[in-house]
Amino acid sequence: MSPERQDPMNLREVLDAVRATWWLLPLGAVAGAVLALVLALVQTPLYTSSTQLFVSTTAASSTLDAVQGREFSEARVQSYARLLTGRDLAGRIVERLDVDTTEGEVQDSITAAAVPGTVLIDVSVTDPRPERAQAVAEAVGQEFPGLVSDIEAPVAGGEPLVRVTVTDAPQLPTAPSSPDRFRYTALGIVLGLVLGVLAAVARRRMDRTVKVPDQAAELVGAPVIGTVLKDASLETRHVADSFSPGRAAEDYRLLRTNLQFLQVDEPPKVIMITSPAPGEGKTTAAVNLGLALADSGRRVTVIEADLRRPKVTRYLGLVSGVGLTNVLAGTADVEDVVQQYGDSGLSVIGAGPLPPNPGELLASTQMAALLEKLRGDNDFVLIDTPPVLPVADSVGLAVLVDGVLVSVRYGRTLKEHARQVGVTLERVGATVLGLILNIVPPKAELVATHGYGLEYGYDGARPARHKA
């Protein structure tokens, strides 16, 4: 079996993945917000005290001197901003304050930026202790003018060309400047949403189950001729109520219509219904398709040929004592074991006593002869058989029928299993008529796309229903 090729997902497939697992987004957002808030709470709070310095020239005897002095100051502020974060100033501050800190720590706590188009420099000091942040900021205003004076002093002596003054004294910070819990939380929510989308896409890419009709058809090599929505009543009664609010009965009628238009020149009459694995709705499909065909006036017989786990008679409330195995063993005639389901017009042949060799019985000449007899007496003969992959019972019978319907369950049937069923049936020369995409959740994307969820019920009195 060749590995499945993974094509890049387009935008629509991404949106479909997000819609199918929408709960991952709020879950990711909540998880991101909580994690970000925890990170903010465990971090050491930092306090920031700010000051502002004004740079000017010391001599301006004329208007021209004032203009030139301003240009000179603007050219200097960029360099002074670098000096403010240098080691020389940090050393002077440590000596002035005589605090338990190093020059490197003071240097790292200071940030400075020149205000564009001005001769102002904004200085900020960040420290875990608000008092020390204010003290260092005050020391900057006290020590930096002296540092500038030393640097800018003329070689021949005299007054420095530049003067630095404090225009905005630092204040004692009362609230931490970081971490910003609101910003952390908002960022955590955004990142959580992104991770939720990525998780939804990854989940779709890693999903090995059948969910897309076109994909299922490609895997098995046959078209999807029916889609049956999940109906809670079918899980208990297994027989669709034609007049209930659920959509299942109408889905089986659509399946009936599609089946009748397959191979118009030689329409199939003897049809085997199976599935890749257990629990994929094959028996329920066989029973309800039989009822839908009988409701349209067709003569229909359903054979309970799953001789390992027979369920047809139990679903329909019929007797399970005698049936198919008696006929194949020659101990009873067909007329002796056929049962009628109420006034529906549906005939049922139960499994009978369970044999030790079900595969041999289903592939026997006696089974072929029985099917030929039932072909002449019915418009349709539906055979419920075991799943294809666990046992070989269905494979031997598949060559005796006109065609096979494969029930695949949405979100449960594995892609590898669906592909293997197609390969197995093709190997023995069986004809796969189509697929039944079964038990599709009402919120599935294909339900809205194809209008499967739309209701159009009776308005007024309802006709009488069949009674079992």
Side-chain angles (χ1 to χ4, degrees):
M1 186 186 304
S2 59
E4 185 178 355
R5 181 172 58 90
Q6 291 284 340
D7 296 324
M9 295 182 69
N10 55 38
L11 179 60
R12 180 173 181 178
E13 290 174 327
V14 172
L15 294 177
D16 290 344
V18 171
R19 185 184 299 112
T21 53
W22 60 268
W23 48 269
L24 286 174
L25 272 68
L27 181 62
V30 171
V34 171
L35 181 60
L37 186 57
V38 170
L39 289 176
L41 291 174
V42 298
Q43 289 189 37
T44 302
L46 300 177
Y47 296 83
T48 300
S49 182
S50 301
T51 187
Q52 191 175 75
L53 306 178
F54 178 82
V55 179
S56 61
T57 56
T58 57
S61 58
S62 66
T63 303
L64 179 61
D65 290 340
V67 173
Q68 291 177 340
R70 178 178 178 83
E71 293 176 351
F72 180 82
S73 299
E74 290 181 3
R76 281 291 197 267
V77 293
Q78 295 294 339
S79 300
Y80 293 166
R82 298 290 298 274
L83 287 175
L84 282 162
T85 59
R87 183 170 293 274
D88 288 345
L89 178 62
R92 296 189 179 204
I93 292 174
V94 170
E95 292 180 2
R96 168 178 285 271
L97 296 180
D98 191 22
V99 293
D100 184 17
T101 185
T102 64
E103 292 182 3
E105 292 174 342
V106 172
Q107 186 180 0
D108 293 338
S109 69
I110 300 174
T111 57
V115 180
T118 70
V119 293
L120 298 174
I121 303 176
D122 289 332
V123 183
S124 298
V125 178
T126 303
D127 195 272
R129 295 166 54 185
E131 297 82 3
R132 190 162 62 187
Q134 183 189 25
V136 173
E138 290 177 344
V140 168
Q142 295 164 351
E143 292 294 333
F144 188 67
L147 176 61
V148 171
S149 296
D150 294 343
I151 294 174
E152 299 289 0
V155 177
E159 186 179 2
L161 300 176
V162 178
R163 180 172 61 245
V164 177
T165 56
V166 178
T167 59
D168 190 1
Q171 303 296 320
L172 178 66
T174 57
S177 56
S178 68
D180 187 340
R181 295 177 184 175
F182 177 80
R183 185 177 180 182
Y184 267 61
T185 304
L187 182 60
I189 291 174
V190 173
L191 292 178
L193 290 173
V194 172
L195 290 177
V197 173
L198 294 177
V201 172
R203 192 171 186 267
R204 171 62 65 90
R205 296 291 289 183
M206 296 173 63
D207 191 355
R208 298 168 54 216
T209 62
V210 174
K211 290 183 178 178
V212 181
D214 292 341
Q215 185 183 69
E218 181 181 356
L219 291 170
V220 180
V224 175
I225 64 171
T227 302
V228 181
L229 267 62
K230 183 177 182 180
D231 190 330
S233 64
L234 285 181
E235 297 180 6
T236 54
R237 296 187 63 248
H238 302 287
V239 178
D241 186 345
S242 299
F243 309 112
S244 70
R247 174 65 192 244
E250 191 63 33
D251 290 338
Y252 284 113
R253 283 191 283 269
L254 289 173
L255 173 61
R256 172 193 68 192
T257 301
N258 293 334
L259 179 64
Q260 291 173 333
F261 282 96
L262 288 176
Q263 302 178 4
V264 178
D265 294 334
E266 295 183 7
K269 297 184 65 176
V270 180
I271 302 171
M272 183 181 90
I273 301 178
T274 186
S275 62
E280 294 173 340
K282 64 176 183 61
T283 303
T284 301
V287 168
N288 287 283
L289 177 58
L291 287 171
L293 288 167
D295 284 342
S296 65
R298 301 297 197 274
R299 292 172 300 170
V300 183
T301 295
V302 174
I303 302 177
E304 188 177 46
D306 188 341
L307 303 181
R308 297 175 186 267
R309 298 179 183 178
K311 296 179 181 178
V312 172
T313 51
R314 176 159 60 88
Y315 287 178
L316 295 176
L318 301 177
V319 178
S320 59
V322 294
L324 177 62
T325 54
N326 299 101
V327 176
L328 298 181
T331 60
D333 293 329
V334 177
E335 294 77 10
D336 299 331
V337 300
V338 171
Q339 304 179 63
Q340 299 297 318
Y341 178 66
D343 58 355
S344 65
L346 178 69
S347 300
V348 178
I349 298 177
L354 302 186
N357 57 340
E360 288 76 3
L361 282 180
L362 294 179
S364 65
T365 56
Q366 292 88 342
M367 185 67 178
L370 173 62
L371 295 180
E372 195 61 32
K373 173 178 174 56
L374 293 174
R375 182 194 302 274
D377 297 338
N378 293 271
D379 296 311
F380 289 95
V381 178
L382 304 181
I383 310 171
D384 176 42
T385 66
V388 173
L389 299 183
V391 292
D393 303 3
S394 301
V395 179
L397 179 60
V399 298
L400 303 179
V401 301
D402 298 336
V404 180
L405 290 179
V406 180
S407 174
V408 294
R409 180 168 178 173
Y410 180 98
R412 178 164 175 174
T413 300
L414 297 179
K415 297 175 184 177
E416 294 85 351
H417 289 177
R419 184 187 294 109
Q420 189 59 40
V421 165
V423 171
T424 301
L425 294 176
E426 182 183 10
R427 185 182 299 125
V428 298
T431 300
V432 181
L433 301 174
L435 307 180
I436 305 171
L437 188 55
N438 224 332
I439 317 179
V440 179
K443 293 184 179 181
E445 187 271 336
L446 70 91
V447 173
T449 302
H450 295 83
Y452 292 126
L454 301 178
E455 297 291 342
Y456 195 73
Y458 287 95
D459 184 12
R462 299 177 176 179
R465 67 186 71 181
H466 294 306
K467 295 182 179 179

